[in-house]
Amino acid sequence: MAAKPKVFVTRRIPAAGLDRIRAACAAEVWDGPLPPAYDLIRQKAADCDGLVTLLTDKIDAALLDAAPRLKVVSNYAVGFNNVDVAAATARGVAVGNTPGVLTDATADMAFCLLIAAARRLAVGVDDARGGKWKTWEPLGWLGQDLVGRTLGVVGMGRIGYALAKRCRGGWDMPVLYYDVHRNEKAEVELGAVKVELNTLLSESDFISVHTDLNETTRGLFNAARFKQMKPTAVFVNTARGPVVVEADLVEALKNGVIFAAGLDVTDPEPPPPDSPLWRAPNLIVAPHVASATVGTRGAMAQICASNLLAGLRGEKLPACVNTDVEGKRRK
Ligand code: DGY
């Protein structure tokens, strides 16, 4: 009987995927409370055929060079900015991700942050807990309305569309979007209008970020961009932390340049205890939980396992981010 392929799984993922991986592979699963260190992954990868990685694991050229048998990196996330995809392709290693299944959960979280920030929920809850709620306040904890206000979506992919659908259908919000690609479905079904980023920033009441992280989006939201927004604007980021210059966001909130913000992602994650983010007014920070529902994480685990197992067999991955690896795959 042929030996089972050897894989290293950098964190415990839901059983829906992990059980299939364990059944088909000689799998070592990292069980620590924090992600394994880079050097440890590199050491484990040295004699592995496959890796299951998380967005917290850096998979770079040096690590790939230290893993001569590696055929597949199956990333348990839709985002894959933690993996040097070009380096993987050059070495014949297929890279998988988990698109589609987390669209609704992430759009729900974007909307949750949008409404929570608009209604200053974090400060209200803190004040209620902290004894600052003395009576019903005619002028206390005032937020912003949503109905009929304009939503600006930066990155009109699957998740941006799903958020726009919620806001358009439920809250009657006109939708502007900025993207390098046109999204005809959003235009036809939601009446979304594609505009330049400057227009979106100055005309939107709510701005939600759904871009991936790359060299054109890193630091996209800086002081100059916050200044272009309305003083009543609510800014939400569920994409990747480095898309925002956090020091500039904190200043924008402190100085009333914008009204409020909600972040599900930060840079780094978590922010250190002395990060100014923790003291910024009208800011709600969630611990990168947009995909964190039982059903969604289970579905991600399924795709992740399918990608890994297909990669180990030398088959096309159901969700592959470097399809150009075909023809160069390691045997
Ligand atoms: C992703 O999948 O990229 C999210 O950030 C976590 O689910």
Side-chain angles (χ1 to χ4, degrees):
M1 205 171 64
K4 286 180 172 179
K6 198 166 172 194
V7 304
F8 182 55
V9 182
T10 65
R11 295 301 288 288
R12 184 179 287 275
I13 63 170
L18 195 55
D19 288 354
R20 286 173 56 209
I21 294 171
R22 283 195 156 125
C25 308
E28 183 182 351
V29 181
W30 178 253
D31 225 2
L34 292 175
Y38 171 83
D39 285 341
L40 190 126
I41 304 175
R42 187 171 153 160
Q43 186 197 318
K44 297 283 181 194
D47 62 349
C48 273
D49 304 289
L51 283 179
V52 171
T53 55
L54 266 60
L55 50 86
T56 40
D57 305 319
K58 182 165 118 185
I59 307 299
D60 62 5
L63 189 147
L64 293 165
D65 280 338
R69 275 171 51 182
L70 196 65
K71 290 185 181 150
V72 55
V73 174
S74 180
N75 209 40
Y76 181 68
V78 67
F80 47 85
N81 54 289
N82 58 306
V83 181
D84 184 337
V85 176
T89 307
R91 288 157 182 79
V93 178
V95 180
N97 70 337
T98 65
V101 292
L102 46 76
T103 301
D104 284 318
T106 306
D108 284 348
M109 180 54 67
F111 188 74
C112 175
L113 288 174
L114 195 133
I115 196 163
R119 299 302 298 269
R120 307 182 61 210
L121 191 63
V123 72
V125 169
D126 279 355
D127 287 351
R129 258 202 206 118
K132 290 190 187 154
W133 175 25
K134 303 291 183 200
T135 182
W136 187 85
E137 293 274 0
L139 298 175
W141 302 289
L142 300 186
Q144 302 289 338
D145 291 305
L146 274 83
V147 171
R149 313 282 296 281
T150 299
L151 171 72
V153 174
V154 180
M156 186 57 100
R158 276 181 292 249
I159 299 170
Y161 174 87
L163 173 69
K165 190 173 171 191
R166 284 154 174 74
C167 292
R168 177 78 218 162
W171 278 259
D172 206 14
M173 296 170 76
V175 178
L176 302 177
Y177 77 98
Y178 170 73
D179 201 307
V180 284
H181 304 290
R182 199 172 154 202
N183 187 326
E184 287 191 42
K185 189 173 166 208
E187 292 179 16
V188 172
E189 292 180 8
L190 309 175
V193 179
K194 184 171 186 299
V195 293
E196 291 303 321
L197 185 57
N198 291 343
T199 309
L200 181 142
L201 298 180
S202 60
E203 293 186 7
S204 299
D205 299 296
F206 295 86
I207 294 162
S208 189
V209 185
H210 301 283
T211 54
D212 51 6
L213 175 64
N214 56 49
E215 285 325 302
T216 64
T217 60
R218 188 178 291 277
L220 182 66
F221 291 93
N222 57 16
R225 294 237 156 75
F226 289 120
K227 274 202 191 93
Q228 287 179 275
M229 299 178 191
K230 298 181 184 183
T232 49
V234 174
F235 174 81
V236 166
N237 184 16
T238 52
R240 284 292 182 265
V243 171
V244 176
V245 180
E246 287 172 356
D248 292 358
L249 173 63
V250 169
E251 285 307 303
L253 290 166
K254 273 200 209 154
N255 299 325
V257 174
I258 66 170
F259 181 75
L263 303 178
D264 184 49
V265 287
T266 60
D267 180 29
E269 292 182 355
D274 62 350
S275 167
L277 284 179
W278 299 127
R279 294 184 307 280
N282 289 352
L283 175 65
I284 180 165
V285 180
H288 202 153
V289 285
S291 67
T293 70
V294 175
T296 296
R297 289 283 169 87
M300 287 168 65
Q302 286 278 12
I303 299 186
C304 181
S306 300
N307 281 337
L308 177 81
L309 300 182
L312 293 171
R313 290 191 297 262
E315 294 167 7
K316 280 191 181 162
L317 277 50
C320 186
V321 300
N322 59 343
T323 46
D324 54 338
V325 76
E326 293 308 326
K328 315 179 194 149
R329 302 269 299 267
R330 273 188 189 154
K331 300 279 179 254

